[in-house]
Amino acid sequence: LRIPGSTHVIELFEYVPLEIVGHELAQLAPAGAALALTETLARVLAIGHARAPEIELVTRTGKRVWVDASYTRVLDPGGSSPGVWAVFRDVTEQRRLAAEKLSAERLALIGTMSAKFAHEIRNPLASILLNIELIEDVLKRRPAGAQEAPGEDEEIVELFAAEAATAV
């Protein structure tokens, strides 16, 4: 990295200037991400500028940070390119907040769906319980050994079965 006097890199990646100047940017990449950074830098050298809205990099102590990165090829007065100027903006907190918001939205959706399911189950169950109470009342009113009214029990049982079928 060619970043003389930049305190932002020092703060963000926890390096002192002499430790970072002249080193490859890929050393800041987590395992497996160095290739993507190398490709990005190749694109910068080819077209002059590139931006990576959210990439994960690693600090000196191993802490992972997410940055919005912008790279620009540096040209000297003779037109040759001695290096790349990289500007990193820490977006770790924004990513964390976005993840928390998404999690909260998912929990709210689960709560809404649970309430709807409970409502859809509660209605047929209430009707089933009412029909059970009707059967119980009919059986209690019937004198011992008396014949049932033609079709009355069957009608209540059919209503009970119909309500049970809608709950399934």
Side-chain angles (χ1 to χ4, degrees):
L1 293 174
R2 308 219 191 303
I3 312 170
S6 173
T7 58
H8 299 295
V9 169
I10 296 165
E11 292 169 11
L12 180 60
F13 297 113
E14 302 169 342
Y15 283 97
V16 294
L18 294 177
E19 293 174 318
I20 196 87
V21 172
H23 287 84
E24 294 292 322
L25 180 61
Q27 86 179 56
L28 296 175
L35 180 61
L37 276 174
T38 303
E39 290 172 356
T40 300
L41 290 177
R43 197 168 58 236
V44 171
L45 293 174
I47 62 173
H49 182 77
R51 182 170 176 259
E54 287 188 354
I55 59 170
E56 186 181 27
L57 298 177
V58 179
T59 68
R60 177 182 184 198
T61 60
K63 180 177 134 187
R64 293 174 182 263
V65 293
W66 287 89
V67 297
D68 179 353
S70 182
Y71 308 95
T72 303
R73 183 178 60 216
V74 178
L75 298 175
D76 65 15
S80 65
S81 180
V84 173
W85 185 263
V87 177
F88 301 104
R89 186 174 59 92
D90 187 355
V91 294
T92 306
E93 183 66 12
Q94 290 89 330
R95 275 185 67 92
R96 186 190 65 75
L97 291 173
E100 284 181 8
K101 180 182 175 194
L102 181 61
S103 179
E105 288 172 355
R106 285 180 179 159
L107 288 174
L109 180 61
I110 289 170
T112 300
M113 294 302 294
S114 297
K116 288 181 180 186
F117 285 137
H119 176 75
E120 292 299 321
I121 291 170
R122 203 172 22 241
N123 284 349
L125 287 178
S127 184
I128 289 168
L129 288 173
L130 177 64
N131 283 315
I132 289 172
E133 289 173 5
L134 288 173
I135 291 172
E136 184 181 41
D137 288 346
V138 167
L139 294 175
K140 283 181 182 175
R141 283 183 293 160
R142 186 177 299 155
Q147 294 288 336
E148 68 272 356
E152 185 176 336
D153 288 346
E154 289 83 6
E155 181 182 330
I156 291 172
V157 169
E158 285 173 9
L159 285 171
F160 178 67
E163 288 300 322
T166 61
V168 176

